[in-house]
Amino acid sequence: MVGSLLLKQVRSRPNLERAWRVVEDNSRFSGSETIRLEVDIFREKYSTNIRTISDQLREGRYKFQPARGVPIAKAGNKKSSDFRPLVVASVGSRIVQRSILDVLTSIDDLKPYFQNSNSFGGIKKAKGQHLAAVPAAIREVLSAIGDGATHVVCADISGFFTKISKSAVVSIIEKVVTDREFIDLLNLAIKVELSNMAELRERADRFPIYDIGVAQGSSLSPLLGNIILSDFDKKMNEGDCRCIRYIDDFIILAPTKKAAAARMRIASAHLAALEMSLSKEKTHVEPRSILDGFDFLGIELKNGLIRPSNKAQKRIIKSIEDSFKESSSAFKARRGGAELHKSQSLLGTLRRVDGVIQGWGKHCSFCNDEAAFATLDAAISNMLRRYIGIYSAEI
């Protein structure tokens, strides 16, 4: 590999602008007003900002700004100690991280470490490929059932991103990428430095500020996760079983209950060697018959019907409801002289909700339970009518 070529690719204006568009688009779905505001500010002078980042990278002056640690409470759990340690980087850092990701995923010799027929999370859709992500994973589940699988085990790796060794993943990448300068930039991109350590107090140690753990919220983390589990995917798909993985969720499909249980023992042993373990709450205690139905990746498969699980349906309803409530509160606050940010305006809110619905629709495009979607449509329509009513009253 020509070292300068990789760095030139990262700092090239086209790559950085492509990365910016992804960061900008992702902000539409963010529930954080702070994130949306930061993106809006960057957008005002995005061309100048991109040029500055490119120049700093070329001159070796680019610095990743300290990120914010945000403890996100896990759904249904009120314990303050049980949270997801989200790392929110600056807009500039996210752009550079995304550009590095694009370069890494373009390296042919590295592709076998993160692209395989049994892994679907964090993988770009290839040219000519009709399905990707969850739809592609569910298609393979159905294919395995069609090939004779009778039993399944659904499992989740506990605290997956917090258990990945940064140095172990970089060591794997270094087998292919020998450019020291690029590796140094990668190490800086995945290093986590927090600006609010004092505010986090005792919770700070739960964030990936040391070697173990990668940043939840970084575009690079899914790739790192796929690389560290590349051998897992190979081992789990030997013989008569099929193991389909989506980042930290996986499902074993087997011809017998005994075969499924044996494959789970292999999974536990392999993960233990990586100092990882299975989530007790999200992993089947024992294999179950496919005829009994099961949920995987928020999709329920039972009696020939494929539909979003009850939890998934509740999540989208709450997401849309929260967006409408936030905007409605902003409308009312404007009476007292508060500024109405455009992300909370009628059009800003409708665009954000539309993005959520469109994304969710693609995610569940293969489902066939029309009654479930009719119920969701009715619920969303009712929320929309109430929201428009509030807007009209304020006007």
Side-chain angles (χ1 to χ4, degrees), residues 291-358:
L291 297 177
D292 294 333
F294 59 94
D295 291 358
F296 182 55
L297 302 178
I299 302 298
E300 181 185 7
L301 297 92
K302 188 174 184 180
N303 297 328
L305 290 177
I306 306 172
R307 59 186 165 229
S309 67
N310 288 333
K311 284 185 178 180
Q313 292 184 46
K314 289 178 181 177
R315 277 199 302 273
I316 186 173
I317 291 297
K318 187 177 187 308
S319 174
I320 295 172
E321 188 175 50
D322 287 348
S323 289
F324 286 152
K325 282 183 177 178
E326 179 185 310
S327 178
S328 297
S329 296
F331 291 159
K332 294 172 183 176
R334 189 172 181 274
R335 290 186 211 162
E339 181 182 357
L340 179 65
H341 191 268
K342 63 181 179 181
S343 66
Q344 297 171 326
S345 67
L346 176 71
L347 290 180
T349 300
L350 292 180
R351 285 194 190 100
R352 187 163 65 255
V353 169
D354 180 63
V356 171
I357 294 173
Q358 293 290 340

Side-chain angles (χ1 to χ4, degrees), residues 366-381:
F366 52 88
C367 294
N368 61 10
D369 188 345
E370 294 182 6
F373 285 101
T375 300
L376 278 171
D377 284 345
I380 293 171
S381 294

Side-chain angles (χ1 to χ4, degrees), residues 23 35 38-39 88-98 217 219:
V23 170
I35 290 176
E38 289 173 349
V39 168
V88 181
S90 68
V91 176
S93 294
R94 296 206 298 276
I95 291 170
V96 176
Q97 289 166 349
R98 184 78 203 189
S219 60

